[in-house]
């Protein structure tokens, strides 16, 4: 009775929107409808005065509210993989709520997140944005985040749909994946976002799926998203992901971003007139856009919100506290007790400089930031910071080992002229007596030097410039020389990978006065070349080394190596050689090659990118004020060789064969009986836990698993009880087991609790491609219970009958 009433009210609610949408569509001319399906001003949905609609702002996403074409300061939350590693659904939801408050405070109606592509390979430059390797965890994270965000009235956009699991050549490569792996792994979190969380928008990905661009893939967009899942919201393209007008228009795309380049009314109108793209198809897109606008009340003023609500920092802090993972802690090296007065040496860029986020469109400019060292300085520890020596400016400026240097000019005085001078140098002076090739009026341009480093690691990019000159690498990460009276020297540490080509550039914009340019590059000297630092290291009782990546090295648009940069490896080796008790703190979005050091260092803390509150959280974990409780949301392989990772990447001839099929991450390790360095779901605490007394009951709809968990150590802490399920006899190509439930709980020292996890029988289904349905096979199964994917308790059970259900 109650259920009928609820269902009735939901369907009336929906009808109310549908009526408004129909009335609105009737008011719009074809011209206006064609305009509305292209993005506006690079990030937004255009205003529609005849419907009384103002412009609707969209912002990246997913790790905070970055801004649009321009990044503006906002709370930088921990990476998605850190959120996932909390295994705490309360935090998934609170994260969405907090980001929703940030969005409302900035007038943003649509947030471009969450990102739910699975961490299939460690090299993917965007793993940090996503929620690890497991579709169940990613689904719980996405649903919580979307419900929190949309609960604030902000539309979530789940992205990148689908199988965009690496970055190099993402505009070109085809992910070749079986339908079964798509349904069981790569689409799961999207499906949950649509069916459970009623996400308002979906963003397609750049790549091709089985040879067809995601932006015009009829199977992905029409058959699965619209038909099977009943998605009724906005399907937008990733920025520049549309490659055709007719194909994208007919195959489901509603909104081309950042503008209607292919959905240009001039190109669409003739197709509509010819009947190739029926007007009804355009109306369908307008319906999806308007339905979402009305449903989320984006047609009126957004709810009022405090700009940068102070509650948000606490949410960011808790995610960091619960998502950072203690991977190894030999000889109880951690926590470091400040009262003991031990001498602690701190080295490595990632400990000495703030690294709250990685790079790309998810890179938030933080409201404030500090390094791990800054945060450790507040804990009362006895610290010495081992920094690299400042670079020799003259040596850097006279470097000339570039593969190519060229200078481009364009005159912006009246007639435009363009000049390129190849073979130039990275030093230039233009004055009234020595004018530039386009004169000394208003001109702009750039000196570009191509550099291919021989070793990976930290470099100093040194510049000495006068006038409006911006020096950097590629189009980002630059410093600005704005003194027009005299040259100023600026130094920035940059991170480069051996063998890759980098564009070092000085971009200038000249209106008056002299312009002087000089820049160059030099490997950053190891801090240990400084005898003071070496002495401090020798004298230290413990050494904290901050290693890993940063926005230069791990970013949207490119993939990154498995290995740590060479200069970092050398620091670790030096500390090991000196027989120090080494604590490695690692920033990365997925596994890195820690096996060469794991035996010789005592502690390893996986810090991901822990957001702007992360340094405090880390310092408190290192000193024991916070007891770590994060669990790896992605496996850390020992090496790539000998695993599916070695075949999974790089792509060959524009194709990525997902030949491991269902066996990604722990599914591969467990099924093949191969041991990763650190397994999925694993993470240590400063206390210990014991799981015992497993019980299992099963009826026709639910498998119910319970176990007792006891805190067997001396301090309060939290653990995550995990239940995996697999068939007793594993058919070829199937995973041994898959995560089906988890429960995080905190226990006092000695405390005990019984945890019960309910798994719907339908969650045991596999996709049957031939019959186009989910199938739960009757027969014998095992449930595996523990606090990682390698949990030791195995409980047999039986499913009494076969069940099939439609997608
Ligand atoms: C990214 C998207 C992002 C968009 C807008 C694209 O390059 O792939 O995730 O939302 O840019 O910044």
């Amino acid at each position: 009775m109650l259920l009928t009433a609820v269902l009735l009210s939901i369907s009336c609610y929906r009808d109310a929107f549908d009526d408004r949408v129909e009335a609105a569509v009737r008011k719009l001319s074809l011209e206006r409808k064609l305009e509305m399906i292209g993005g506006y001003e690079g990030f937004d949905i255009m205003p529609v005065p005849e419907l009384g609609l103002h412009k609707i702002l969209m912002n990246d996403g997913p790790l905070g509210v970055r801004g649009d074409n321009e990044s503006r300061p906002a709370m930088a939350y921990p990476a998605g993989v850190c959120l996932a590693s909390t295994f705490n659904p309360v935090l998934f939801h609170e994260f969405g709520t907090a980001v929703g408050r940030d969005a409302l405070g900035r007038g943003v109606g649509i947030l471009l997140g969450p990102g739910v592509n699975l961490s299939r390979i460690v090299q993917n430059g965007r793993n940090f944005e996503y929620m690890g390797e497991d579709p169940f965890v990613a689904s719980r994270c996405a649903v919580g985040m979307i419900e929190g965000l949309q609960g604030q009235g902000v539309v979530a956009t789940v992205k990148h749909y689908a199988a965009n699991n690496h970055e190099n050549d993402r505009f070109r490569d085809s992910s070749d994946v079986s339908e079964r792996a798509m349904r069981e792994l790569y689409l799961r979190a999207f499906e949950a976002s649509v069916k459970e969380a009623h996400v308002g928008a979906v963003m397609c990905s750049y790549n091709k799926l089985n040879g067809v661009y995601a932006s015009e893939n009829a199977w992905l967009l029409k058959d699965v998203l619209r038909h099977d899942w009943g998605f009724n919201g906005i399907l937008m393209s990733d920025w520049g992901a549309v490659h055709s007008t007719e194909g994208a228009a007919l195959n489901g795309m509603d909104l081309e971003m950042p503008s209607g380049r292919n959905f240009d009314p001039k190109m669409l109108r003739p197709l509509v007139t010819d009947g190739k793209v029926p007007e009804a198809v355009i109306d369908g897109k307008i319906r999806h856009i308007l339905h979402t606008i009305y449903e989320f009340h984006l047609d009126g003023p957004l709810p009022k919100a405090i700009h940068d609500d102070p509650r948000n920092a606490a949410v960011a802090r808790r995610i960091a506290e619960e998502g950072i993972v203690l991977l190894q802690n030999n000889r109880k090296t951690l926590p470091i007790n400040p009262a003991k007065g031990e001498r602690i040496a701190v080295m490595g860029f990632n400990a000495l400089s703030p690294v709250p986020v990685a790079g790309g469109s998810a890179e938030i400019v933080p409201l404030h930031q500090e390094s791990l060292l800054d945060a450790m300085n507040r804990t009362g520890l006895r610290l010495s910071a081992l920094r690299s020596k400042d670079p020799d400016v003259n040596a850097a400026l006279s470097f000339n080992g570039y593969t190519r240097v060229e200078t481009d000019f364009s005159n912006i005085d009246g007639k435009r002229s363009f000049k390129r001078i190849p073979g130039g140098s990275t030093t230039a002076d233009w004055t009234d007596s020595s004018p530039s090739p386009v004169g000394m009026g208003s001109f702009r341009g750039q000196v570009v030097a191509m550099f291919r480093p021989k070793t990976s690691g930290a470099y100093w990019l040194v510049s000495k410039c006068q006038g409006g000159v911006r020096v950097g690498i590629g189009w980002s990460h630059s410093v600005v020389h704005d003194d027009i009276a005299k040259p100023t020297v600026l130094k920035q540490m940059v991170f480069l990978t051996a063998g890759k080509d980098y564009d070092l550039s000085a971009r200038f914009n000249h209106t008056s006065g002299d312009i002087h340019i000089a820049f160059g590059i030099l490997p950053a000297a190891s801090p240990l070349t400084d005898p003071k630092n070496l002495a401090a290291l020798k004298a230290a009782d413990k050494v904290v080394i901050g290693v890993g990546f940063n926005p230069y090295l791990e970013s949207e648009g490119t993939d990154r190596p498995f290995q740590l940069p060479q200069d970092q490896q050398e620091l670790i080796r030096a500390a090991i050689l000196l027989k120090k008790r080494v604590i490695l703190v690692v920033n990365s979005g997925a596994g890195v090659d820690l096996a060469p050091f794991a035996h010789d260092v005592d502690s390893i803390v996986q810090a991901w990118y822990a957001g702007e509150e992360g340094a405090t959280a880390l310092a408190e974990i290192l000193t024991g004020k916070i007891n770590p409780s994060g669990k790896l949301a992605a496996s850390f392989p020992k090496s790539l060789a000998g695993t599916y990772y070695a075949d999974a990447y790089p792509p060959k001839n524009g194709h990525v064969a997902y030949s491991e099929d269902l066996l990604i991450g722990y599914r591969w390790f467990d099924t093949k009986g191969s041991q990763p360095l650190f397994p999925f779901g694993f993470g240590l605490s400063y206390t210990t836990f014991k799981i015992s007394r497993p019980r299992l009951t099963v009826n026709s709809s639910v498998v119910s698993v319970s176990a007792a968990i006891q805190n067997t150590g001396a301090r309060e802490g939290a653990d995550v009880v995990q239940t995996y399920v697999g068939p007793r006899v594993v058919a070829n190509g199937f995973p041994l087991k898959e995560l089906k439930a988890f429960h995080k709980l905190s226990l006092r020292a000695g405390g005990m609790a019984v945890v019960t996890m309910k798994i719907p029988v339908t969650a045991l289904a596999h996709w049957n491609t031939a019959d186009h349905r989910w199938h739960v096979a009757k027969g014998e199964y095992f449930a595996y219970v523990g606090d990682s994917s390698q949990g030791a308790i195995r409980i047999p059970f039986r499913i009494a009958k076969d069940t099939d259900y439609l997608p």
Side-chain angles (χ1 to χ4, degrees), residues 42-43 59-62 66-68 112 126 129-130 159-160 164 167 170-171 203 206 238-239 361-362 556:
F43 260 82
N59 266 205
D60 280 310
R66 172 179 75 85
D68 40 38
L112 303 175
R126 291 187 95 165
E129 290 182 50
Y130 304 142
K159 68 189 188 182
H160 306 87
N164 179 187
E167 285 295 294
R170 61 180 173 163
F171 304 117
M203 186 194 292
Y206 284 121
D238 200 341
W239 271 229
S361 59
E556 176 182 341

Side-chain angles (χ1 to χ4, degrees), residues 73-94:
M75 174 62 59
Y77 294 87
V81 64
C82 182
L83 178 71
S85 298
T86 68
F87 278 75
N88 184 346
V90 174
L91 289 178
F92 305 160
H93 194 278
E94 281 185 13

Side-chain angles (χ1 to χ4, degrees), residues 98-378:
V99 178
R101 289 193 290 252
D102 284 332
L104 292 181
R106 289 163 169 76
V108 171
I110 302 182
L111 187 94
L112 303 175
V116 300
N117 300 77
L118 298 183
S119 191
R120 169 180 180 255
I121 52 163
V122 294
Q123 296 96 332
N124 178 11
R126 291 187 95 165
N127 276 333
F128 73 95
E129 290 182 50
Y130 304 142
M131 286 132 175
E133 73 185 28
D134 181 70
F136 179 64
V137 173
S139 301
R140 294 307 91 213
C141 258
V143 168
M145 185 301 183
I146 294 166
E147 287 177 347
L149 186 71
Q150 296 195 161
Q152 297 294 304
V154 176
V155 175
T157 310
V158 66
K159 68 189 188 182
H160 306 87
Y161 187 68
N164 179 187
N165 303 103
H166 72 278
E167 285 295 294
N168 286 354
D169 294 321
R170 61 180 173 163
F171 304 117
R172 199 197 65 186
D173 284 348
S174 174
S175 298
D176 297 341
V177 198
S178 72
E179 179 169 349
R180 170 176 263 164
M182 286 302 290
R183 298 266 187 181
E184 296 192 17
L185 301 175
Y186 299 102
L187 295 181
R188 276 287 199 196
F190 291 98
E191 181 176 8
S193 302
V194 172
K195 289 189 179 165
E196 288 182 55
H198 307 290
V199 71
V202 173
M203 186 194 292
C204 84
S205 55
Y206 284 121
N207 55 290
K208 294 176 197 140
L209 174 67
N210 296 319
V212 182
Y213 274 114
S215 56
E216 54 187 88
N217 191 308
W219 179 78
L220 194 61
L221 306 184
K222 295 212 304 198
D223 299 355
V224 176
L225 181 68
R226 297 288 185 197
H227 176 268
D228 291 349
W229 302 345
F231 178 63
N232 197 26
I234 303 171
L235 173 59
M236 69 176 82
S237 74
D238 200 341
W239 271 229
V242 175
H243 295 271
S244 70
T245 303
E246 194 175 328
L250 288 179
N251 288 320
M253 185 55 60
D254 293 328
L255 179 63
E256 182 185 13
M257 295 304 294
S259 65
R261 190 166 52 99
N262 293 279
F263 283 5
D264 180 339
K266 284 207 273 317
M267 290 154 82
L268 269 169
R269 205 180 311 108
L271 295 175
V272 174
T273 316
D274 287 1
K276 285 191 178 140
V277 177
E279 186 165 351
V281 167
I282 305 292
D283 287 350
K285 302 179 193 307
I286 300 294
R287 280 193 188 96
H288 295 142
I289 296 172
L290 290 179
H291 196 280
T292 309
I293 292 177
Y294 292 146
E295 189 181 346
F296 286 86
H297 308 292
L298 300 182
D299 50 330
L302 294 182
K304 289 247 166 309
I306 308 172
H307 196 74
D308 295 327
D309 190 310
R311 287 173 294 178
N312 297 349
V315 175
R317 173 86 63 91
R318 272 194 60 209
I319 297 169
E321 288 171 357
E322 291 200 29
I324 291 169
V325 189
L326 178 62
L327 291 176
Q328 179 171 303
N329 195 21
N330 298 339
R331 298 191 278 171
K332 292 205 168 125
T333 299
L334 290 175
I336 315 171
N337 180 354
K340 278 198 181 155
E342 291 168 308
R343 284 159 301 188
I344 311 296
V346 183
M347 59 183 182
F349 177 86
N350 295 59
L352 303 177
S353 304
V355 193
V357 283
S361 59
E363 183 177 356
I364 310 282
V365 176
L367 295 172
H368 77 94
Q369 55 178 337
E370 60 175 357
S371 64
L372 173 57
L373 175 73
D374 297 333
M376 287 172 81
N377 265 323
R378 288 196 300 273

Side-chain angles (χ1 to χ4, degrees), residues 492-522:
Q492 49 179 324
M493 198 175 258
V494 297
F495 294 85
L496 309 179
T497 303
K500 264 183 121 172
D501 285 319
Y502 292 91
D503 279 6
L504 317 187
S505 69
R507 284 172 277 145
F508 43 86
N509 216 338
H510 177 263
T511 43
S512 64
D514 293 348
I515 191 158
H516 175 88
I517 289 176
F519 66 88
I521 194 143
L522 205 65

